[in-house]
């Protein structure tokens, strides 16, 4: 251990231990890759090439096989058909450790940070610097971590416990870990899903630095604008196959969507570009009213009303307190001051059960905290309505039937209620999280980042579902740091900044620029 | 719980299937091996009488293990089972008329009242565990460690180093009686196992136990009252222990301090050897039954082959260690698979 890891890894991104090879040999070649899970093909005969010093955008619908392909490269999936070549030499990894040793670093779609370790320990996970005595060199770790994070624009005490940080920060720190690991091939699976625009910009600047040093990056995202602005090359996956790889010049969003899902998408692409006219409903009855809510240092003096049939968007950059606000509405956090009324009645929510019984439903931004990965889909769907369909005895047939209905109406793939949830792709898991609350209509639906990790088609599905729910008279509160999400859903928008509501957009025309300017 | 997993994947390949069923296969294979081994090693082992013997021998630990299964499925632990059992057994004797030579300041009451008071005391101890863990927020490991001491204290105060013998008739019948030659305490165990299994697998509460153990945060975000579920599991566990304690006192024929000390390990071992995950969410009464049988067969079989009684202790320790290794190993497979999903 000591001999191997006795030096502190390089702090700046510009250091290039591995300059691009002079020849034209691609950095990475995947030849004829096929992979199936229990008889269901996830990848079929895919050829994928990654050149040195390029940023390679990867797009495709939920379940298209993007993550699966990348996990093969990163040594997570070891059983597959086909060949893998790095710098022209054939390799076959037996573990993620092998891949790491070969210079491949991956940020997974589901965060894999250690919540109970400090920030510094997370940054140096598996490669702690050691001092002359062979012990972990804490000062070097702390200063190293601080410097690395600073270059990503993150100002956080490296001794903070990771789990205490907001999810966006966690995502940035995990990114830092891989970016500074010295890997030659860096795979980022939906790295910006929890980031707000300024952080995305920062990340892109860092990625460009990494590219300049001759390293290669695979960038998976459902934000096609991001893909087009940062990538040199774009690859589209569809249904387990590679549809096309193309230089980024001369292609646009419409072209990409066309390749991703085929024809019939005209209504999708333009939905949240340009200006949106907000259709607020000032006369609708108030279902949820917050008065002067204050919670620790997270937010203060928040008052608003959510109305029946209206979708209220709460927009703010990551860490502005909107996440905590959403948890408060569902009784998970108890406010220090202020109160809530639901349908005119003053309520003191002491726990989530009381919130559910008061008619509030909540989908948190982090799927892990909403779903049971080893349980079948139907148990995931039924858990929140179990009290209604069974007094004492379970009724599994009823549960399955309800789940099958949702699986069908939400187009969940694979279309079965008894597969283990963990076998679904990220976007499909998100749909299951939503399905939990759709059987018995709540009065108020609070959604935190409802379309995170969803492809354009699925996002559109969610927008339609949520709109339909609002049309039925539900009050919907959508909390998000993604302007697109708020713009595509909301009838009225509150903007939060540093824990306070600073602006309200109602009955006017609004655009992404105006929204960002207000935040 | 584990059955759903098998039909989860569309067409599980045999290897994957076997690995996913490791939690159930390993304890069962151990049991079969032990039975085969002892049957060959000793002619007196594989007899009907001896089977009834084994059932009787595992009964006290078994009734505790039923309650403990609930707690461990939630991902918590109860270290006070043996102590609560002991205290409850002593309470029931304390309120029963003892022979004149028994020198304790007991308070003779009608049998039914003594039983009610005993049940109330184990319920109360369970409630203290529940409140300490869920409302105050003390980790169950520490909370029940304290309760272990409190239970011992109650025992000490009530009997003051003496031994009591008499228990109410009903307790005596259930703990030491026989029906058609069959030990009633074994029947009580079977009843507890059946009720425990049905509760866990077919009721809403049982589902909540598994879901809370599988992902506590997700259960909370689904509107499940996690604290109530955890608290209920701890109370159920204490009541099971209390019943085991009362019947145990009848079964052994005496009530005294530290009488049940060995049963803490037995009860935990039965649950864990059976393959219920120490991390919660996986396993069940079926696993506990197998675990109990492994322990019972092992203890009983070692008696049949005249082995050094000190070696016996070591062998039990080694079997427990092996079970823990399998338990944690299976957990790792599951974690890796989860990391691969999504
Ligand atoms: N561990 C697994 N077990 C079984 N099936 C799996 C597993 N992981 C992925 N799959 C299946 O493989 C297919 C491809 O999934 P993958 O996660 O690669 O999709 P993706 O393109 O990353 O989608 P998303 O944009 O939603 O993240 C899906 O149909 C998924 O259900
Ligand atoms: Mg993915």
């Amino acid at each position: 251990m000591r001999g191997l890891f006795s030096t502190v890894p390089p702090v700046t991104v510009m250091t290039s231990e591995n300059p691009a090879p002079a020849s034209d040999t691609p950095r990475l070649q995947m030849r004829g890759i096929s992979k199936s899970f229990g008889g269901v093909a996830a990848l079929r005969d895919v050829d994928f090439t990654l050149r040195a010093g390029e940023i390679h955008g990867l797009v495709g619908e939920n379940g298209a096989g993007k993550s699966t392909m990348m996990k093969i490269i990163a040594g997570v999936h070891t059983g597959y058909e086909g060949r893998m070549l790095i710098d022209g030499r054939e390799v076959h990894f037996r573990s993620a450790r092998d891949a790491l040793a070969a210079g491949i670093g991956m940020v997974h779609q589901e965060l894999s940070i250690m919540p109970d370790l400090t920030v510094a320990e997370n940054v140096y996970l598996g490669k702690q610097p050691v001092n002359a005595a062979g012990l972990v060199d804490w000062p070097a770790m702390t200063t190293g971590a601080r410097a690395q994070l600073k270059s990503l624009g993150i100002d956080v005490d490296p001794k903070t416990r990771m789990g205490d940080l907001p999810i966006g920060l966690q995502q940035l720190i995990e990114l830092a870990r891989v970016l500074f690991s010295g890997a030659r091939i860096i795979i980022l699976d939906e790295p910006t899903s929890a980031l707000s625009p300024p952080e995305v910009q920062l990340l892109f600047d860092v990625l460009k630095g990494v590219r300049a040093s001759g390293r290669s990056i695979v960038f998976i995202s459902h934000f096609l604008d991001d893909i087009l602005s940062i990538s040199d090359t774009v690859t589209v996956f569809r249904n387990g196959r590679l549809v096309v790889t193309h230089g980024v010049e001369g292609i646009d969003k419409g072209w990409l969507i066309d390749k991703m899902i085929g024809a019939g998408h005209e209504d999708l692409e333009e939905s949240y570009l340009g200006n949106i006219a907000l259709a607020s409903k000032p006369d609708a009855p108030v279902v949820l009213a917050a008065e002067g809510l204050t919670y620790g240092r997270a937010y203060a003096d928040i008052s608003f009303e959510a109305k029946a049939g209206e979708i209220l968007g709460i927009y703010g950059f990551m860490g502005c307190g909107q996440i905590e606000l959403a948890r408060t509405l569902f009784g998970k956090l108890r406010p220090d001051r202020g109160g809530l009324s639901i349908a005119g009645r003053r309520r003191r929510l002491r726990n989530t059960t009381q919130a559910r019984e008061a008619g509030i439903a909540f989908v948190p931004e982090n799927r892990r905290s909403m779903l049971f990965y080893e349980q079948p889909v139907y148990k995931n769907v039924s858990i929140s309505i179990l009290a209604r369909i069974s007094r004492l005895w379970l009724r599994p047939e009823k549960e399955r039937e309800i789940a099958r209905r949702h699986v069908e109406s939400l187009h969940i793939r694979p279309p079965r209620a008894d597969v283990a949830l963990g076998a679904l792709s990220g976007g499909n898991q998100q749909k299951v999280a939503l399905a939990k609350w759709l059987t018995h209509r709540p009065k108020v639906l609070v959604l935190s980042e409802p379309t995170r990790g969803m492809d354009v088609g699925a996002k559109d599905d969610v927008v339609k579902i949520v709109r339909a729910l609002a049309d039925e008279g539900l009050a919907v509160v959508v909390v998000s740091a993604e302007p697109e999400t708020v713009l595509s859903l909301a009838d009225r928008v509150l903007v939060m900044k540093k824990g306070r509501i600073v602006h309200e957009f109602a009955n006017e025309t609004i655009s992404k620029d105006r929204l960002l300017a207000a935040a | 719980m584990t059955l759903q997993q098998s039909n989860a994947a569309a067409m599980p390949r045999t290897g994957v299937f076997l690995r996913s069923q490791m939690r159930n296969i390993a304890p069962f294979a151990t049991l079969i091996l032990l039975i085969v081994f002892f049957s060959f090693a000793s002619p007196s082992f594989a007899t009907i009488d001896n089977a009834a013997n084994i059932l009787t021998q595992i009964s006290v630990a078994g009734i505790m293990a039923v309650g403990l299964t609930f707690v461990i499925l939630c991902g918590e632990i109860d270290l006070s089972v043996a102590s609560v059992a002991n205290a409850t057994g002593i309470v029931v004797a304390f309120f029963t008329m003892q022979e004149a030579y028994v020198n304790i300041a007991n308070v003779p009451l009608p049998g039914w009242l003594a039983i009610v008071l005993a049940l109330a005391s184990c319920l109360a101890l369970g409630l203290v565990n529940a409140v300490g863990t869920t409302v105050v927020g003390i980790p169950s490991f520490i909370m029940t460690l304290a309760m272990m001491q409190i239970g011992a204290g109650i025992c000490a105060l009530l009997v003051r180093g003496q031994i009591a013998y008499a228990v109410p008739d009903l307790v005596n019948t259930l703990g030491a009686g026989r029906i058609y030659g069959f030990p009633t305490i074994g029947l009580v165990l079977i009843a507890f196992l059946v009720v425990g299994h049905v509760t866990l697998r077919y009721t809403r509460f049982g589902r909540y136990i598994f879901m809370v153990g599988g992902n506590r945060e997700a259960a909370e975000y689904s509107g499940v009252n996690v604290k109530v579920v955890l608290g209920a599991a701890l109370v159920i566990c204490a009541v099971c222990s209390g019943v085991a304690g009362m019947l145990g006192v009848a079964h052994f024929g005496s009530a005294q301090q530290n009488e049940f000390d060995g049963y803490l390990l037995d009860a935990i071992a039965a649950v864990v050897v059976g393959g219920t995950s120490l991390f919660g969410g996986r396993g069940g009464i079926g696993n506990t039954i197998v675990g109990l049988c492994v322990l019972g067969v092992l203890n009983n079989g070692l008696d049949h082959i005249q082995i050094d009684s000190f070696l016996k202790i070591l062998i039990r320790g080694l079997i427990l260690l092996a079970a823990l290794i399998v338990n944690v190993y299976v957990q790792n497979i599951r974690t890796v698979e989860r990391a691969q999903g999504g």
Side-chain angles (χ1 to χ4, degrees):
Chain A
M1 282 310 255
R2 200 171 138 196
L4 267 176
F5 299 115
S6 53
T7 50
V8 183
V11 166
T12 60
V13 270
M14 296 305 178
T15 25
S16 132
E17 317 84 328
N18 302 291
S23 71
D24 282 345
T25 322
R27 172 67 26 105
L28 170 77
Q29 285 167 280
M30 306 295 286
R31 290 283 161 262
I33 302 290
S34 298
K35 164 90 188 162
S36 57
F37 293 101
V40 181
L43 291 172
R44 306 161 211 246
D45 194 22
V46 175
D47 289 331
F48 175 78
T49 304
L50 181 66
R51 290 195 313 269
E54 77 168 345
I55 299 180
H56 198 126
L58 197 57
V59 296
E61 284 184 281
N62 293 129
K66 307 180 293 293
S67 299
T68 306
M69 185 68 176
M70 294 306 123
K71 283 177 187 168
I72 290 176
I73 297 175
V76 177
H77 293 317
T78 51
Y80 59 90
E81 285 161 42
R83 303 195 306 141
M84 172 170 175
L85 298 92
I86 294 183
D87 292 330
R89 273 201 312 275
E90 180 149 0
V91 291
H92 193 116
F93 299 137
R94 274 161 305 155
S95 68
R97 192 171 283 262
D98 280 4
L100 211 61
I104 296 174
M106 175 160 176
V107 174
H108 287 271
Q109 190 171 1
E110 305 291 337
L111 287 184
S112 54
I113 51 110
M114 304 284 156
D116 290 319
L117 298 186
T118 64
V119 168
E121 285 171 301
N122 267 287
V123 170
Y124 282 99
L125 206 64
K127 51 181 169 51
Q128 290 97 332
V130 287
N131 58 23
L135 301 172
V136 172
D137 189 345
W138 291 100
M141 224 162 101
T142 309
T143 43
R146 182 171 287 129
Q148 294 187 1
L149 295 176
K150 195 127 235 169
S151 68
L152 270 177
I154 313 169
D155 196 9
V156 44
D157 181 3
K159 292 189 186 122
T160 322
R161 189 179 157 272
M162 193 73 166
D164 293 339
L165 296 174
I167 181 149
L169 258 183
Q170 295 181 13
Q171 193 168 36
L172 275 174
I173 292 167
E174 181 163 11
L175 275 167
R177 178 174 93 214
V178 173
L179 287 177
F180 295 104
S181 68
R184 290 181 300 162
I185 297 174
I186 295 172
I187 300 168
L188 308 176
D189 196 348
E190 301 191 29
T192 62
S193 57
L195 302 185
S196 43
E199 288 148 354
V200 173
Q201 206 42 54
L202 211 92
L203 171 69
F204 283 2
D205 291 343
V206 174
L207 292 187
K208 285 175 190 150
V210 172
R211 169 174 64 189
S213 71
R215 301 197 256 167
S216 313
I217 298 168
V218 180
F219 185 90
I220 302 181
S221 179
H222 291 296
F223 297 107
L224 303 182
D225 291 323
D226 288 356
I227 290 277
L228 290 172
S229 76
I230 188 75
S231 315
D232 304 308
T233 315
V234 181
T235 288
V236 181
F237 272 56
R238 180 154 100 211
N239 215 352
R241 290 183 202 280
L242 190 153
V243 181
V244 64
T245 296
H246 198 285
V248 78
E249 302 79 23
I251 65 175
D252 61 10
K253 227 167 140 176
W255 186 88
L256 277 181
I257 297 178
D258 193 48
K259 297 290 176 207
M260 278 167 64
I261 48 184
H265 57 80
E266 287 72 17
D267 52 327
L268 290 182
E269 40 186 309
E270 294 306 323
S271 60
Y272 46 74
L273 296 176
N275 294 332
I276 310 274
L278 295 175
S280 318
K281 300 197 170 76
D283 303 328
V286 173
V287 182
L288 174 78
E291 282 155 47
L293 289 178
T294 300
Y295 179 78
R297 286 185 305 161
Y299 60 81
D301 207 17
I302 301 279
S303 303
F304 64 85
E305 292 176 340
K307 294 173 180 153
E310 190 186 62
I311 304 179
L312 175 66
I314 299 183
Y315 173 77
F317 289 168
M318 180 196 92
C320 74
Q322 82 274 52
I323 302 265
E324 289 82 358
L325 178 61
R327 279 168 173 46
T328 310
L329 298 182
F330 192 55
K332 169 77 175 158
L333 299 179
R334 270 200 261 168
D336 306 329
R337 259 177 290 128
L340 281 177
S341 337
I342 298 153
R345 270 184 64 197
R346 195 93 176 146
R347 293 276 190 164
R348 215 166 238 292
L349 302 176
R350 277 187 291 119
N351 55 42
T352 57
T353 314
Q354 291 186 346
R356 177 174 54 92
E357 283 162 0
I360 300 183
F362 177 56
V363 180
E365 63 290 334
N366 182 358
R367 282 191 288 272
R368 247 185 218 298
S369 43
M370 185 69 189
L371 297 169
F372 303 86
Y373 280 71
E374 294 115 34
Q375 303 288 355
V377 168
Y378 81 88
K379 287 192 190 174
N380 273 282
V381 171
S382 66
I383 179 78
S384 50
I385 51 165
L386 222 47
R388 291 204 185 227
I389 54 181
S390 106
R391 282 189 70 81
L392 175 66
W393 302 110
L394 290 173
R395 293 160 64 195
E397 262 326 301
K398 177 96 181 159
E399 289 176 48
R400 284 205 183 82
E401 180 212 309
I402 288 173
R404 272 196 289 266
R405 231 164 53 215
H406 294 309
V407 163
E408 199 170 305
S409 68
L410 299 184
H411 307 294
I412 292 170
R413 294 280 167 274
R416 293 173 44 199
D418 54 358
V419 286
L421 183 100
L424 265 52
S425 82
N428 282 305
Q429 292 176 4
Q430 182 77 17
K431 289 188 192 174
V432 175
L434 197 57
K436 297 176 94 137
W437 298 115
L438 298 186
T439 315
H440 294 283
R441 302 288 191 242
K443 293 195 185 78
V444 185
L445 177 61
V446 181
L447 303 168
S448 185
E449 303 293 357
T451 58
R452 177 181 290 174
M454 293 196 152
D455 66 46
V456 271
K459 265 183 191 154
D460 196 58
D461 284 349
V462 169
V463 170
K464 285 191 183 118
I465 295 163
V466 175
R467 287 226 154 277
L469 290 170
D471 289 343
E472 282 177 28
L474 251 73
V476 182
V477 180
V478 175
V479 172
S480 178
E482 286 174 11
E484 291 84 355
T485 307
V486 174
L487 290 176
S488 59
L489 277 166
D491 300 319
R492 187 156 60 92
V493 181
L494 300 175
V495 180
M496 271 180 86
K497 189 173 183 175
K498 296 195 178 132
R500 290 176 185 276
I501 292 178
V502 291
H503 196 87
E504 173 167 357
F505 292 101
N507 274 324
E508 56 194 296
T509 308
I510 173 179
S511 65
K512 188 167 167 180
D513 292 340
R514 286 192 63 199
L515 192 60
L516 286 177
Chain B
M1 270 303 125
T2 32
L3 282 179
Q4 276 94 26
Q5 229 224 331
S6 57
N7 57 29
M11 259 185 281
R13 279 162 296 154
T14 329
V16 176
F17 176 76
L18 286 179
R19 264 198 334 172
S20 69
Q21 291 299 310
M22 180 86 154
R23 178 181 302 288
N24 301 320
I25 293 169
F28 201 70
T30 314
L31 178 61
I32 302 291
L33 273 177
L34 286 174
I35 292 177
V36 169
F37 172 77
F38 286 122
S39 306
F40 279 107
S42 157
S44 58
F45 176 79
T47 60
I48 303 282
D49 272 357
N50 195 41
N53 257 338
I54 294 179
L55 182 64
T56 318
Q57 285 163 2
I58 61 175
S59 291
V60 175
I63 297 171
M64 289 182 197
V66 170
L68 201 56
T69 306
F70 282 72
V71 175
I72 293 184
L73 278 175
C74 288
E76 300 286 339
I77 189 75
D78 186 346
L79 298 177
S80 65
V81 281
S83 183
V84 169
N86 206 349
T88 312
I90 285 180
V91 166
V92 85
F94 184 82
F95 290 119
T96 308
M97 175 66 108
Q98 300 291 336
E99 300 290 342
Y101 58 85
V102 175
N103 208 357
I104 60 177
N106 70 325
V107 182
L109 293 174
W112 65 267
L113 194 53
I115 295 175
V116 168
L117 283 175
L119 286 175
S121 38
C122 61
L123 188 78
L125 296 182
L127 277 172
V128 173
N129 273 341
V131 170
T133 311
T134 61
V135 181
V136 186
I138 308 169
S140 61
F141 181 84
I142 304 294
M143 179 62 227
T144 56
L145 199 62
M147 182 54 66
M148 188 165 143
Q149 199 62 33
I150 292 171
I154 294 173
C155 297
L157 276 175
L158 291 183
V159 293
R160 297 184 172 274
Q162 303 289 310
I163 301 178
Y165 300 95
V167 290
D169 287 343
L170 175 63
V171 174
N172 216 354
T173 316
L174 290 178
R178 283 179 176 268
I179 295 179
Y180 303 116
F182 197 85
T184 38
I185 192 167
L187 296 179
V188 174
L189 170 63
I190 291 172
F192 267 73
L193 288 169
V194 169
V195 172
H197 179 73
V198 168
T199 308
L200 281 174
R201 293 299 297 274
Y202 300 108
T203 69
R204 180 155 65 96
F205 173 67
R207 173 71 63 76
Y208 285 159
I209 294 261
F210 280 104
M211 297 310 242
V212 166
N215 185 347
R216 191 166 299 183
E217 197 184 11
E220 195 174 356
Y221 279 127
S222 307
V224 175
N225 200 330
V226 171
K227 289 182 174 175
V228 168
V229 173
L230 288 181
L234 284 164
V235 169
I236 288 174
C237 185
V239 171
C240 287
S241 306
V243 172
M246 280 194 273
L247 301 195
V249 164
H251 181 64
F252 304 133
S254 68
Q256 54 188 304
Q257 280 168 248
N258 303 338
E259 189 172 13
F260 290 83
D261 283 3
Y263 284 89
L264 170 60
L265 189 64
D266 276 5
I268 295 180
V271 177
V272 177
V273 168
T276 292
S277 168
L278 278 169
F279 306 89
R282 284 293 179 98
I285 295 292
N287 296 74
T288 300
I289 293 175
V290 176
L292 279 170
C293 292
V294 168
L295 284 190
V297 165
L298 190 66
N299 282 342
N300 176 284
L302 290 174
D303 288 341
H304 279 261
I305 57 169
Q306 254 105 53
I307 197 168
D308 181 351
S309 62
F310 297 108
L311 186 58
K312 214 173 125 175
I313 301 176
L314 181 63
I315 291 180
R316 276 170 33 120
L318 291 176
I319 294 267
L320 183 58
L321 176 65
L324 285 174
I325 292 171
V326 170
N327 198 300
V328 172
Y329 172 70
V330 171
Q331 186 72 26
N332 286 345
I333 294 180
R334 173 182 158 205
T335 318
V336 169
E337 273 165 4
R338 184 201 283 165
Q340 291 178 351

